[in-house]
Coordinates of all heavy atoms in Angstrom, one line a residue:
M22 N -84.4 -63.0 -40.7 CA -83.6 -63.6 -39.7 C -82.1 -63.5 -39.9 O -81.4 -63.2 -38.9 CB -83.9 -65.1 -39.7 CG -85.4 -65.5 -39.2 SD -85.9 -67.2 -39.5 CE -85.0 -67.9 -38.0
Q23 N -81.7 -63.4 -41.1 CA -80.3 -63.3 -41.3 C -79.9 -61.7 -41.0 O -78.7 -61.5 -40.6 CB -79.9 -63.6 -42.9 CG -80.0 -65.1 -43.1 CD -79.8 -65.3 -44.7 OE1 -79.8 -64.4 -45.5 NE2 -79.7 -66.6 -45.0
I24 N -80.8 -60.9 -41.3 CA -80.6 -59.5 -41.0 C -80.5 -59.2 -39.4 O -79.5 -58.6 -39.0 CB -81.6 -58.6 -41.5 CG1 -81.5 -58.5 -43.0 CG2 -81.5 -57.1 -40.9 CD1 -82.7 -57.8 -43.7
N25 N -81.3 -60.0 -38.7 CA -81.2 -59.9 -37.1 C -79.9 -60.5 -36.6 O -79.5 -60.1 -35.6 CB -82.4 -60.5 -36.6 CG -83.6 -59.7 -36.7 OD1 -83.7 -58.4 -37.0 ND2 -84.8 -60.4 -36.7
R26 N -79.5 -61.7 -37.2 CA -78.3 -62.3 -36.7 C -77.0 -62.1 -37.4 O -76.0 -62.5 -36.8 CB -78.7 -63.9 -36.7 CG -79.6 -64.3 -35.7 CD -78.9 -64.8 -34.4 NE -77.9 -65.9 -34.7 CZ -76.8 -65.8 -34.2 NH1 -76.2 -64.8 -33.6 NH2 -76.0 -66.8 -34.6
H27 N -77.1 -61.6 -38.6 CA -75.8 -61.4 -39.3 C -75.0 -62.7 -39.6 O -73.9 -62.8 -39.5 CB -74.9 -60.4 -38.8 CG -75.6 -59.0 -38.4 ND1 -75.9 -58.1 -39.4 CD2 -76.0 -58.5 -37.3 CE1 -76.5 -57.1 -38.9 NE2 -76.5 -57.2 -37.6
Q28 N -75.8 -63.8 -39.7 CA -75.4 -65.1 -39.9 C -76.2 -65.8 -41.0 O -77.2 -65.4 -41.4 CB -75.4 -66.0 -38.7 CG -74.6 -65.5 -37.5 CD -73.1 -65.7 -37.7 OE1 -72.7 -66.6 -38.4 NE2 -72.3 -64.8 -37.1
T29 N -75.7 -66.9 -41.5 CA -76.3 -67.7 -42.5 C -76.2 -69.3 -42.1 O -75.3 -69.5 -41.3 CB -75.9 -67.5 -43.9 OG1 -74.5 -67.9 -43.9 CG2 -76.0 -66.1 -44.4
G30 N -76.9 -70.1 -42.8 CA -76.8 -71.6 -42.6 C -77.2 -71.9 -41.1 O -78.0 -71.3 -40.5
Y31 N -76.5 -73.1 -40.7 CA -76.8 -73.6 -39.4 C -76.4 -72.7 -38.2 O -77.2 -72.8 -37.2 CB -76.1 -75.0 -39.3 CG -76.3 -75.9 -40.4 CD1 -75.2 -76.4 -41.1 CD2 -77.6 -76.2 -40.8 CE1 -75.4 -77.3 -42.2 CE2 -77.9 -77.0 -41.8 CZ -76.7 -77.7 -42.5 OH -76.9 -78.4 -43.5
N32 N -75.5 -71.8 -38.4 CA -75.1 -71.0 -37.3 C -76.2 -69.9 -37.1 O -76.2 -69.2 -36.1 CB -73.7 -70.2 -37.6 CG -73.1 -69.7 -36.3 OD1 -73.2 -70.3 -35.3 ND2 -72.6 -68.5 -36.5
L33 N -77.1 -69.8 -38.0 CA -78.2 -68.8 -37.9 C -79.2 -69.1 -36.6 O -79.5 -68.2 -35.9 CB -79.1 -68.7 -39.1 CG -80.3 -67.7 -39.1 CD1 -79.7 -66.4 -39.2 CD2 -81.0 -68.0 -40.5
T34 N -79.4 -70.3 -36.4 CA -80.3 -70.6 -35.4 C -80.0 -71.9 -34.5 O -80.8 -72.5 -34.0 CB -81.7 -70.9 -35.9 OG1 -81.7 -72.0 -37.0 CG2 -82.3 -69.8 -36.6
N35 N -78.7 -72.2 -34.4 CA -78.3 -73.4 -33.7 C -78.2 -73.1 -32.3 O -77.0 -73.3 -31.6 CB -77.0 -74.1 -34.3 CG -75.8 -73.1 -34.3 OD1 -75.9 -72.0 -34.0 ND2 -74.6 -73.8 -34.4
G36 N -79.2 -72.8 -31.6 CA -79.3 -72.7 -30.1 C -80.5 -71.8 -29.8 O -80.9 -71.0 -30.6
P37 N -81.1 -72.0 -28.7 CA -82.3 -71.2 -28.2 C -82.0 -69.7 -28.3 O -83.0 -69.0 -28.7 CB -82.6 -71.8 -26.9 CG -81.4 -72.4 -26.3 CD -80.6 -72.8 -27.6
G38 N -81.0 -69.3 -27.7 CA -80.7 -67.7 -27.8 C -80.6 -67.2 -29.2 O -81.1 -66.2 -29.5
K39 N -80.0 -68.1 -30.2 CA -79.8 -67.6 -31.4 C -81.1 -67.6 -32.2 O -81.4 -66.7 -33.0 CB -78.9 -68.5 -32.3 CG -77.4 -68.4 -31.6 CD -76.6 -69.4 -32.4 CE -75.1 -69.3 -31.9 NZ -74.3 -70.2 -32.6
V40 N -82.1 -68.6 -31.8 CA -83.4 -68.5 -32.5 C -84.2 -67.4 -32.0 O -84.8 -66.6 -32.9 CB -84.2 -69.8 -32.0 CG1 -85.7 -69.8 -32.4 CG2 -83.6 -71.1 -32.6
M41 N -84.1 -67.0 -30.8 CA -84.8 -65.8 -30.3 C -84.3 -64.5 -31.0 O -85.1 -63.6 -31.5 CB -84.7 -65.7 -28.8 CG -85.2 -66.7 -28.0 SD -87.0 -66.9 -28.1 CE -87.4 -65.7 -26.9
A42 N -82.9 -64.4 -31.1 CA -82.4 -63.2 -31.7 C -82.8 -63.2 -33.3 O -83.1 -62.1 -33.8 CB -80.8 -63.2 -31.7
A43 N -82.8 -64.3 -33.9 CA -83.2 -64.3 -35.3 C -84.6 -64.0 -35.6 O -84.9 -63.2 -36.6 CB -82.9 -65.8 -35.9
F44 N -85.5 -64.3 -34.7 CA -86.8 -63.8 -34.8 C -87.0 -62.4 -34.3 O -88.2 -61.9 -34.4 CB -87.8 -64.8 -34.0 CG -88.1 -66.1 -34.8 CD1 -87.7 -67.3 -34.4 CD2 -89.0 -65.9 -35.9 CE1 -88.1 -68.4 -35.1 CE2 -89.4 -67.0 -36.6 CZ -89.0 -68.3 -36.2
G45 N -86.1 -61.8 -33.8 CA -86.2 -60.4 -33.3 C -86.9 -60.4 -32.0 O -87.4 -59.4 -31.6
I46 N -86.9 -61.4 -31.1 CA -87.5 -61.4 -29.8 C -86.4 -61.1 -28.8 O -85.4 -61.8 -28.7 CB -88.2 -62.9 -29.5 CG1 -89.1 -63.1 -30.6 CG2 -88.6 -62.9 -28.1 CD1 -89.7 -64.6 -30.6
H47 N -86.7 -60.2 -28.1 CA -85.6 -59.6 -27.1 C -86.0 -59.8 -25.6 O -85.2 -59.4 -24.8 CB -85.4 -58.2 -27.4 CG -85.0 -58.0 -28.8 ND1 -83.9 -58.3 -29.3 CD2 -85.8 -57.3 -29.8 CE1 -83.9 -58.0 -30.7 NE2 -85.0 -57.4 -31.1
D48 N -87.1 -60.3 -25.2 CA -87.4 -60.6 -23.8 C -88.2 -62.0 -23.7 O -88.5 -62.5 -24.6 CB -88.1 -59.5 -23.3 CG -89.4 -59.1 -24.0 OD1 -90.1 -60.1 -24.5 OD2 -89.8 -57.9 -24.0
L49 N -88.3 -62.3 -22.4 CA -88.8 -63.7 -22.1 C -90.3 -63.7 -22.4 O -90.9 -64.8 -22.4 CB -88.5 -64.0 -20.6 CG -87.0 -64.3 -20.4 CD1 -86.9 -64.6 -18.8 CD2 -86.5 -65.3 -21.2
N50 N -91.0 -62.5 -22.5 CA -92.4 -62.7 -22.8 C -92.8 -62.5 -24.2 O -93.8 -62.1 -24.7 CB -93.2 -61.7 -21.9 CG -93.0 -60.2 -22.3 OD1 -92.3 -60.0 -23.3 ND2 -93.7 -59.3 -21.7
L51 N -91.7 -62.9 -25.1 CA -91.9 -62.8 -26.6 C -92.3 -61.5 -27.2 O -93.1 -61.4 -28.0 CB -92.9 -63.9 -27.1 CG -92.7 -65.3 -26.7 CD1 -93.7 -66.3 -27.1 CD2 -91.3 -65.8 -27.4
N52 N -91.9 -60.5 -26.5 CA -92.2 -59.1 -26.9 C -93.6 -58.8 -26.7 O -94.2 -58.0 -27.5 CB -91.7 -58.8 -28.3 CG -90.1 -58.7 -28.5 OD1 -89.5 -58.8 -27.4 ND2 -89.7 -58.7 -29.7
G53 N -94.3 -59.5 -25.8 CA -95.6 -59.3 -25.5 C -96.6 -60.0 -26.5 O -97.8 -59.6 -26.5
R54 N -96.1 -60.9 -27.4 CA -96.9 -61.5 -28.3 C -97.3 -62.9 -27.9 O -96.5 -63.5 -27.1 CB -96.2 -61.5 -29.7 CG -96.0 -60.2 -30.3 CD -95.4 -60.3 -31.6 NE -95.1 -59.1 -32.2 CZ -94.0 -58.4 -32.3 NH1 -93.0 -58.9 -31.7 NH2 -93.9 -57.3 -32.8
L55 N -98.4 -63.5 -28.4 CA -98.6 -64.9 -28.2 C -97.8 -65.7 -29.2 O -97.3 -65.3 -30.2 CB -100.2 -65.2 -28.5 CG -101.1 -64.3 -27.5 CD1 -102.6 -64.6 -28.0 CD2 -101.0 -64.8 -26.1
A56 N -97.6 -67.0 -28.9 CA -96.8 -67.9 -29.7 C -97.4 -68.1 -31.1 O -96.7 -68.6 -31.9 CB -96.6 -69.2 -29.0
Q57 N -98.7 -67.8 -31.4 CA -99.3 -68.1 -32.6 C -99.3 -66.7 -33.4 O -100.0 -66.6 -34.3 CB -100.6 -68.7 -32.6 CG -100.5 -70.2 -32.2 CD -99.8 -71.0 -33.3 OE1 -98.7 -71.3 -33.0 NE2 -100.4 -71.4 -34.2
Q58 N -98.4 -65.7 -32.9 CA -98.5 -64.5 -33.7 C -97.1 -64.1 -34.1 O -96.1 -64.6 -33.5 CB -98.9 -63.4 -32.7 CG -100.3 -63.3 -32.2 CD -100.6 -62.2 -31.3 OE1 -99.8 -61.8 -30.6 NE2 -101.9 -61.9 -31.2
P59 N -96.9 -63.4 -35.3 CA -95.6 -63.1 -35.8 C -94.8 -62.4 -34.7 O -95.4 -61.6 -33.9 CB -95.8 -62.2 -36.9 CG -97.4 -62.6 -37.4 CD -98.0 -62.8 -36.1
P60 N -93.6 -62.6 -34.5 CA -92.6 -63.2 -35.5 C -92.5 -64.7 -35.3 O -91.9 -65.4 -36.1 CB -91.3 -62.6 -35.2 CG -91.3 -62.2 -33.8 CD -92.7 -61.9 -33.5
L61 N -93.2 -65.2 -34.3 CA -93.1 -66.7 -34.0 C -94.5 -67.3 -34.4 O -95.5 -66.9 -34.0 CB -92.8 -66.9 -32.5 CG -92.7 -68.4 -32.1 CD1 -91.6 -69.1 -32.8 CD2 -92.5 -68.5 -30.6
W62 N -94.3 -68.4 -35.2 CA -95.4 -69.1 -35.7 C -95.2 -70.6 -35.7 O -94.1 -71.0 -36.3 CB -95.9 -68.7 -37.1 CG -97.1 -69.3 -37.6 CD1 -97.2 -70.5 -38.3 CD2 -98.5 -68.9 -37.3 NE1 -98.5 -70.8 -38.6 CE2 -99.4 -70.0 -37.9 CE3 -99.1 -68.0 -36.5 CZ2 -100.6 -69.9 -37.7 CZ3 -100.4 -68.0 -36.3 CH2 -101.2 -68.9 -37.0
I63 N -96.0 -71.4 -35.0 CA -95.8 -72.8 -35.0 C -96.7 -73.4 -36.0 O -98.0 -73.3 -35.9 CB -95.9 -73.3 -33.6 CG1 -94.8 -72.7 -32.7 CG2 -95.8 -74.9 -33.6 CD1 -95.1 -73.0 -31.2
D64 N -96.2 -74.1 -37.0 CA -97.0 -74.8 -38.0 C -97.4 -76.2 -37.7 O -96.5 -77.0 -37.8 CB -96.3 -74.7 -39.4 CG -97.2 -75.3 -40.5 OD1 -98.4 -75.7 -40.2 OD2 -96.7 -75.3 -41.6
Y65 N -98.6 -76.3 -37.3 CA -99.0 -77.7 -36.8 C -99.6 -78.5 -38.0 O -99.8 -79.8 -37.9 CB -100.0 -77.6 -35.7 CG -99.6 -77.1 -34.3 CD1 -100.0 -75.8 -34.1 CD2 -98.8 -77.9 -33.6 CE1 -99.5 -75.2 -32.9 CE2 -98.3 -77.3 -32.3 CZ -98.7 -76.0 -32.0 OH -98.1 -75.5 -30.9
S66 N -99.7 -77.9 -39.1 CA -100.4 -78.6 -40.4 C -99.4 -79.4 -41.0 O -99.8 -80.2 -42.0 CB -101.0 -77.6 -41.2 OG -100.0 -76.8 -41.8
H67 N -98.1 -79.4 -40.7 CA -97.0 -80.2 -41.5 C -96.1 -80.8 -40.5 O -94.9 -80.5 -40.4 CB -96.2 -79.2 -42.4 CG -97.1 -78.6 -43.5 ND1 -97.6 -77.4 -43.4 CD2 -97.4 -79.0 -44.8 CE1 -98.4 -77.0 -44.5 NE2 -98.1 -78.1 -45.3
P68 N -96.7 -81.8 -39.7 CA -95.8 -82.4 -38.8 C -94.7 -83.2 -39.4 O -94.9 -83.8 -40.4 CB -96.8 -83.4 -38.0 CG -97.9 -83.6 -38.9 CD -98.0 -82.4 -39.9
K69 N -93.6 -83.3 -38.6 CA -92.6 -84.2 -39.1 C -92.2 -85.2 -38.0 O -92.4 -84.9 -36.7 CB -91.3 -83.4 -39.3 CG -91.4 -82.4 -40.5 CD -89.9 -81.7 -40.7 CE -90.1 -80.9 -41.9 NZ -88.8 -80.4 -42.2
Q70 N -91.7 -86.3 -38.3 CA -91.2 -87.2 -37.4 C -89.8 -87.4 -37.3 O -89.1 -87.6 -38.4 CB -91.9 -88.7 -37.8 CG -93.3 -88.8 -37.7 CD -93.8 -88.7 -36.2 OE1 -93.1 -89.3 -35.4 NE2 -94.9 -88.0 -36.0
P71 N -89.2 -87.3 -36.2 CA -87.7 -87.4 -36.0 C -87.3 -88.8 -36.3 O -88.0 -89.7 -35.9 CB -87.4 -86.9 -34.7 CG -88.6 -87.1 -33.9 CD -89.9 -87.1 -35.0
Q72 N -86.1 -89.0 -36.9 CA -85.5 -90.4 -36.9 C -85.2 -90.8 -35.6 O -85.3 -92.0 -35.2 CB -84.2 -90.3 -37.8 CG -84.6 -90.1 -39.3 CD -83.3 -90.0 -40.1 OE1 -82.3 -90.5 -39.7 NE2 -83.4 -89.4 -41.2
A73 N -84.7 -89.9 -34.7 CA -84.3 -90.4 -33.3 C -84.4 -89.1 -32.5 O -84.1 -88.0 -32.8 CB -82.9 -90.9 -33.2
I74 N -84.9 -89.3 -31.2 CA -84.9 -88.3 -30.2 C -83.7 -88.6 -29.2 O -83.7 -89.7 -28.6 CB -86.2 -88.1 -29.4 CG1 -87.4 -87.7 -30.4 CG2 -86.2 -87.1 -28.4 CD1 -88.8 -87.8 -29.9
I75 N -82.8 -87.6 -29.0 CA -81.8 -87.8 -28.2 C -81.9 -87.0 -27.0 O -82.4 -85.8 -27.0 CB -80.4 -87.4 -28.9 CG1 -80.4 -87.9 -30.3 CG2 -79.2 -87.6 -28.1 CD1 -80.1 -89.4 -30.4
S76 N -81.5 -87.5 -25.8 CA -81.5 -86.7 -24.5 C -80.0 -86.6 -24.1 O -79.2 -87.5 -24.4 CB -82.3 -87.4 -23.4 OG -81.7 -88.6 -22.9
S77 N -79.7 -85.5 -23.5 CA -78.3 -85.2 -23.0 C -78.5 -84.4 -21.7 O -79.6 -83.8 -21.4 CB -77.5 -84.6 -24.1 OG -77.8 -83.3 -24.3
A78 N -77.4 -84.0 -21.2 CA -77.3 -83.1 -20.0 C -77.5 -81.7 -20.6 O -77.1 -81.5 -21.7 CB -76.1 -83.3 -19.3
R79 N -78.0 -80.8 -19.8 CA -78.1 -79.4 -20.2 C -76.7 -78.7 -20.4 O -75.7 -79.3 -19.9 CB -79.0 -78.6 -19.2 CG -80.3 -79.2 -19.1 CD -81.2 -78.3 -18.1 NE -80.5 -78.2 -16.8 CZ -81.0 -77.3 -15.9 NH1 -82.0 -76.6 -16.1 NH2 -80.3 -77.0 -14.8
I80 N -76.6 -77.8 -21.3 CA -75.3 -77.0 -21.5 C -75.5 -75.7 -21.3 O -76.5 -75.0 -21.2 CB -74.9 -77.3 -23.0 CG1 -75.9 -76.8 -24.0 CG2 -74.8 -78.8 -23.2 CD1 -75.5 -76.8 -25.4
G81 N -74.2 -75.0 -21.0 CA -74.2 -73.6 -20.9 C -74.8 -72.9 -19.6 O -76.1 -72.7 -19.7
G82 N -74.0 -72.6 -18.7 CA -74.6 -71.8 -17.5 C -75.3 -72.6 -16.6 O -76.0 -71.9 -15.8
V83 N -75.3 -73.9 -16.5 CA -76.1 -74.7 -15.4 C -75.2 -75.3 -14.5 O -75.7 -76.1 -13.7 CB -77.0 -75.5 -16.1 CG1 -78.2 -74.9 -16.9 CG2 -76.4 -76.7 -16.9
E84 N -73.9 -75.1 -14.4 CA -73.0 -75.7 -13.6 C -73.2 -75.6 -12.1 O -73.2 -76.4 -11.2 CB -71.5 -75.4 -13.7 CG -71.0 -75.7 -15.3 CD -71.5 -74.7 -16.2 OE1 -71.8 -73.6 -16.0 OE2 -71.4 -75.1 -17.5
N85 N -73.9 -74.4 -11.7 CA -74.3 -74.1 -10.4 C -75.5 -74.8 -9.9 O -76.0 -74.6 -8.8 CB -74.3 -72.6 -10.0 CG -75.5 -72.1 -10.9 OD1 -76.0 -72.6 -11.8 ND2 -75.8 -70.9 -10.7
Q86 N -76.1 -75.6 -10.7 CA -77.3 -76.4 -10.2 C -77.1 -77.7 -9.6 O -78.0 -78.6 -9.5 CB -78.2 -76.5 -11.5 CG -78.6 -75.2 -12.3 CD -79.4 -74.4 -11.3 OE1 -80.3 -74.8 -10.6 NE2 -79.0 -73.0 -11.2
G87 N -75.9 -78.0 -9.3 CA -75.5 -79.3 -8.6 C -75.8 -80.5 -9.6 O -75.5 -80.5 -10.6
D88 N -76.4 -81.5 -8.9 CA -76.7 -82.7 -9.6 C -77.6 -82.5 -10.8 O -77.6 -83.2 -11.8 CB -77.3 -83.8 -8.7 CG -76.4 -84.4 -7.7 OD1 -75.2 -84.2 -7.9 OD2 -76.8 -84.8 -6.7
W89 N -78.4 -81.5 -10.8 CA -79.5 -81.3 -11.7 C -78.7 -80.8 -13.1 O -79.2 -81.0 -14.2 CB -80.5 -80.1 -11.3 CG -81.2 -80.6 -10.3 CD1 -81.2 -80.4 -9.0 CD2 -82.4 -81.6 -10.4 NE1 -82.2 -81.0 -8.2 CE2 -82.8 -81.8 -9.1 CE3 -83.0 -82.2 -11.4 CZ2 -83.9 -82.6 -8.8 CZ3 -84.0 -83.2 -11.1 CH2 -84.5 -83.2 -9.8
A90 N -77.5 -80.3 -13.0 CA -76.7 -79.9 -14.2 C -76.5 -81.1 -15.2 O -76.4 -81.0 -16.3 CB -75.5 -79.2 -14.0
S91 N -76.3 -82.3 -14.6 CA -76.1 -83.5 -15.4 C -77.2 -84.3 -15.6 O -77.0 -85.3 -16.4 CB -74.9 -84.2 -14.7 OG -75.5 -84.8 -13.4
K92 N -78.4 -84.0 -15.3 CA -79.6 -84.8 -15.6 C -79.9 -84.7 -17.1 O -79.7 -83.6 -17.7 CB -80.8 -84.4 -14.8 CG -80.5 -84.4 -13.2 CD -80.6 -85.8 -12.8 CE -80.4 -85.9 -11.4 NZ -80.1 -87.2 -10.8
P93 N -80.5 -85.7 -17.8 CA -80.7 -85.7 -19.1 C -82.1 -84.9 -19.5 O -83.1 -85.5 -19.9 CB -81.0 -87.1 -19.5 CG -81.4 -87.8 -18.2 CD -80.7 -86.9 -17.2
Y94 N -82.0 -83.6 -19.2 CA -83.3 -82.7 -19.4 C -83.1 -82.0 -20.7 O -83.9 -81.0 -20.9 CB -83.4 -81.8 -18.2 CG -83.9 -82.4 -17.0 CD1 -83.6 -82.1 -15.8 CD2 -84.9 -83.5 -17.1 CE1 -84.0 -82.6 -14.7 CE2 -85.2 -84.3 -15.9 CZ -84.8 -83.7 -14.7 OH -85.4 -84.4 -13.6
R95 N -82.3 -82.3 -21.6 CA -82.2 -81.7 -22.9 C -82.6 -82.7 -24.0 O -82.0 -83.8 -24.1 CB -80.8 -81.2 -23.1 CG -80.4 -80.5 -24.3 CD -79.0 -80.1 -24.4 NE -78.8 -79.3 -25.6 CZ -77.9 -79.7 -26.6 NH1 -77.3 -80.7 -26.5 NH2 -77.8 -78.9 -27.6
F96 N -83.6 -82.3 -24.7 CA -84.1 -83.3 -25.7 C -84.0 -82.7 -27.1 O -84.3 -81.5 -27.4 CB -85.5 -83.7 -25.5 CG -85.6 -84.4 -24.1 CD1 -86.0 -83.7 -23.0 CD2 -85.5 -85.8 -24.1 CE1 -86.1 -84.4 -21.7 CE2 -85.6 -86.4 -22.8 CZ -85.9 -85.7 -21.7
L97 N -83.6 -83.4 -28.1 CA -83.3 -82.9 -29.4 C -83.5 -83.9 -30.6 O -83.4 -85.2 -30.3 CB -82.0 -82.3 -29.5 CG -80.8 -83.1 -29.0 CD1 -79.8 -83.5 -30.3 CD2 -80.0 -82.4 -28.0
V98 N -83.7 -83.5 -31.7 CA -83.7 -84.3 -32.9 C -82.3 -84.7 -33.2 O -81.5 -83.9 -33.6 CB -84.4 -83.7 -34.1 CG1 -84.4 -84.5 -35.3 CG2 -85.9 -83.3 -33.8
G99 N -82.0 -86.1 -33.1 CA -80.7 -86.6 -33.5 C -80.3 -86.2 -34.8 O -81.0 -86.4 -35.7
G100 N -79.1 -85.7 -35.0 CA -78.6 -85.4 -36.4 C -78.9 -83.9 -36.9 O -78.5 -83.6 -38.0
N101 N -79.8 -83.3 -36.2 CA -80.3 -81.9 -36.7 C -79.1 -80.9 -36.6 O -78.7 -80.6 -35.4 CB -81.6 -81.5 -35.9 CG -82.2 -80.3 -36.6 OD1 -81.6 -79.2 -36.7 ND2 -83.4 -80.4 -37.3
P102 N -78.6 -80.3 -37.6 CA -77.4 -79.4 -37.5 C -78.0 -78.1 -36.8 O -77.0 -77.2 -36.5 CB -77.1 -79.2 -38.8 CG -78.2 -79.5 -39.7 CD -79.1 -80.5 -39.0
Y103 N -79.2 -77.8 -36.7 CA -79.6 -76.6 -36.0 C -79.7 -76.6 -34.5 O -80.1 -75.7 -33.9 CB -81.0 -76.2 -36.6 CG -81.0 -75.8 -38.1 CD1 -81.3 -76.7 -39.1 CD2 -80.5 -74.5 -38.5 CE1 -81.2 -76.4 -40.3 CE2 -80.5 -74.2 -39.8 CZ -80.8 -75.1 -40.8 OH -80.8 -74.8 -42.0
V104 N -79.2 -77.7 -34.0 CA -79.1 -77.9 -32.5 C -77.7 -77.3 -32.1 O -76.7 -77.7 -32.7 CB -79.3 -79.4 -32.2 CG1 -79.0 -79.6 -30.6 CG2 -80.6 -79.8 -32.6
S105 N -77.6 -76.8 -31.0 CA -76.3 -76.2 -30.4 C -75.5 -77.4 -29.9 O -76.1 -78.3 -29.4 CB -76.6 -75.1 -29.3 OG -77.4 -75.6 -28.3
K106 N -74.2 -77.2 -30.1 CA -73.2 -78.2 -29.5 C -73.5 -79.6 -30.0 O -73.1 -80.5 -29.4 CB -73.3 -78.2 -28.0 CG -73.2 -76.8 -27.3 CD -71.8 -76.2 -27.5 CE -71.6 -74.9 -26.8 NZ -70.3 -74.4 -27.1
I107 N -73.8 -79.7 -31.2 CA -73.9 -81.0 -31.9 C -72.5 -81.4 -32.5 O -71.9 -80.4 -33.1 CB -75.0 -81.2 -32.9 CG1 -75.2 -82.7 -33.3 CG2 -74.8 -80.2 -34.0 CD1 -76.4 -82.9 -34.2
R108 N -72.1 -82.6 -32.4 CA -70.8 -83.0 -33.0 C -71.0 -83.1 -34.5 O -72.0 -83.6 -35.0 CB -70.3 -84.3 -32.5 CG -70.0 -84.3 -31.1 CD -69.5 -85.7 -30.6 NE -69.3 -85.5 -29.1 CZ -70.0 -86.3 -28.2 NH1 -70.9 -87.1 -28.7 NH2 -69.7 -86.3 -26.9
K109 N -69.9 -82.7 -35.2 CA -70.1 -82.6 -36.8 C -70.3 -84.0 -37.3 O -71.1 -84.1 -38.3 CB -68.8 -81.9 -37.3 CG -68.9 -80.4 -37.2 CD -67.7 -79.9 -37.9 CE -67.7 -78.3 -37.6 NZ -66.8 -77.6 -38.3
R110 N -69.7 -85.1 -36.6 CA -69.8 -86.3 -37.2 C -71.3 -87.0 -37.0 O -71.5 -88.0 -37.5 CB -68.8 -87.2 -36.5 CG -69.0 -87.6 -35.1 CD -68.0 -88.6 -34.6 NE -68.2 -88.8 -33.2 CZ -67.6 -88.2 -32.2 NH1 -66.6 -87.3 -32.4 NH2 -67.8 -88.5 -30.9
E111 N -72.1 -86.2 -36.1 CA -73.3 -86.7 -35.9 C -74.5 -86.0 -36.7 O -75.7 -86.3 -36.7 CB -73.8 -86.5 -34.4 CG -72.9 -87.3 -33.4 CD -73.1 -86.9 -31.9 OE1 -73.8 -86.1 -31.7 OE2 -72.5 -87.7 -31.0
V112 N -74.0 -85.1 -37.5 CA -75.1 -84.2 -38.3 C -75.5 -85.0 -39.6 O -74.7 -85.6 -40.3 CB -74.3 -82.9 -38.7 CG1 -75.2 -82.2 -39.8 CG2 -74.0 -82.0 -37.6
D113 N -76.7 -85.0 -39.7 CA -77.4 -85.5 -40.9 C -77.7 -84.4 -41.9 O -78.7 -83.7 -41.7 CB -78.8 -86.3 -40.5 CG -79.6 -86.8 -41.6 OD1 -79.1 -86.7 -42.7 OD2 -80.7 -87.1 -41.3
L114 N -76.9 -84.3 -42.9 CA -77.0 -83.2 -43.9 C -78.1 -83.6 -44.9 O -78.4 -82.7 -45.7 CB -75.7 -83.0 -44.5 CG -74.6 -82.3 -43.6 CD1 -73.3 -82.1 -44.3 CD2 -75.1 -81.0 -43.0
I115 N -78.5 -84.8 -45.0 CA -79.5 -85.3 -46.0 C -80.9 -84.8 -45.6 O -81.6 -84.1 -46.1 CB -79.5 -86.7 -46.3 CG1 -78.0 -87.1 -46.7 CG2 -80.4 -87.1 -47.4 CD1 -77.5 -86.4 -48.1
N116 N -81.3 -85.4 -44.4 CA -82.7 -85.2 -43.8 C -82.8 -84.3 -42.6 O -83.8 -84.2 -42.1 CB -83.3 -86.6 -43.5 CG -83.5 -87.5 -44.8 OD1 -83.9 -87.0 -45.8 ND2 -83.0 -88.7 -44.6
L117 N -81.6 -83.9 -42.1 CA -81.5 -83.0 -41.0 C -82.1 -83.6 -39.7 O -82.7 -82.9 -38.8 CB -82.2 -81.6 -41.2 CG -81.8 -80.9 -42.5 CD1 -82.6 -79.7 -42.6 CD2 -80.3 -80.6 -42.5
G118 N -82.1 -85.0 -39.7 CA -82.6 -85.8 -38.6 C -84.1 -86.1 -38.5 O -84.6 -86.8 -37.7
W119 N -84.7 -85.8 -39.7 CA -86.2 -86.1 -39.8 C -86.4 -87.2 -40.8 O -85.6 -87.5 -41.7 CB -86.9 -84.8 -40.4 CG -86.8 -83.6 -39.5 CD1 -85.9 -82.6 -39.6 CD2 -87.5 -83.5 -38.3 NE1 -86.1 -81.7 -38.6 CE2 -87.0 -82.2 -37.9 CE3 -88.4 -84.2 -37.6 CZ2 -87.5 -81.7 -36.6 CZ3 -88.9 -83.6 -36.3 CH2 -88.4 -82.4 -35.9
Q120 N -87.5 -88.0 -40.6 CA -87.9 -89.1 -41.4 C -88.4 -88.4 -42.8 O -89.0 -87.4 -42.8 CB -88.9 -90.0 -40.9 CG -88.5 -90.7 -39.6 CD -89.5 -91.7 -39.1 OE1 -90.6 -91.8 -39.6 NE2 -89.2 -92.2 -37.9
D121 N -88.1 -89.2 -43.8 CA -88.7 -88.8 -45.1 C -90.3 -88.8 -45.2 O -91.0 -89.3 -44.6 CB -88.3 -89.8 -46.3 CG -86.9 -89.6 -46.6 OD1 -86.2 -88.5 -46.2 OD2 -86.2 -90.4 -47.0

């Protein structure tokens, strides 16, 4: 992932486009792979519970959507530093927003 993005730490994947680039996925159909095939694998065997789920307005390039641009259609784990546009004072560096 670091080779694909030339980044480390939270900046490696703090946003959906950065996650796709880090996994080496270059198109909307996941390079023709299913979601359970490499490079993307979702591990359902180790579930985590968030401390809080936060909603906010969407960000980046949706201004032309009128009233829909400000609707709370963006959901994230509160305090998770891998989320784009999170305020530094809201970051949970201990648990990354997840319950123990």
Side-chain angles (χ1 to χ4, degrees):
M22 292 173 76
Q23 291 175 350
I24 292 170
N25 288 338
R26 283 269 302 127
H27 307 288
Q28 296 288 330
T29 60
Y31 307 124
N32 198 40
L33 180 64
T34 58
N35 64 345
K39 292 178 181 180
V40 170
M41 298 293 278
F44 277 111
I46 298 170
H47 305 292
D48 56 32
L49 294 177
N50 71 359
L51 300 175
N52 294 348
R54 294 183 180 97
L55 299 174
Q57 288 297 98
Q58 294 177 334
L61 181 61
W62 181 263
I63 299 171
D64 182 2
Y65 294 106
S66 64
H67 297 91
K69 292 185 174 188
Q70 292 292 320
Q72 292 179 21
I74 297 175
I75 309 294
S76 67
S77 71
R79 300 182 309 169
I80 60 172
V83 296
E84 295 81 18
N85 63 347
Q86 301 300 312
D88 290 340
W89 293 104
S91 62
K92 301 289 184 193
Y94 287 149
R95 180 176 183 245
F96 299 92
L97 51 115
V98 173
N101 190 294
Y103 292 95
V104 173
S105 57
K106 304 293 183 185
I107 189 172
R108 294 182 184 115
K109 288 185 180 183
R110 69 176 180 261
E111 296 173 356
V112 171
D113 173 7
L114 292 175
I115 305 297
N116 298 312
L117 308 178
W119 301 101
Q120 294 180 8
D121 289 335

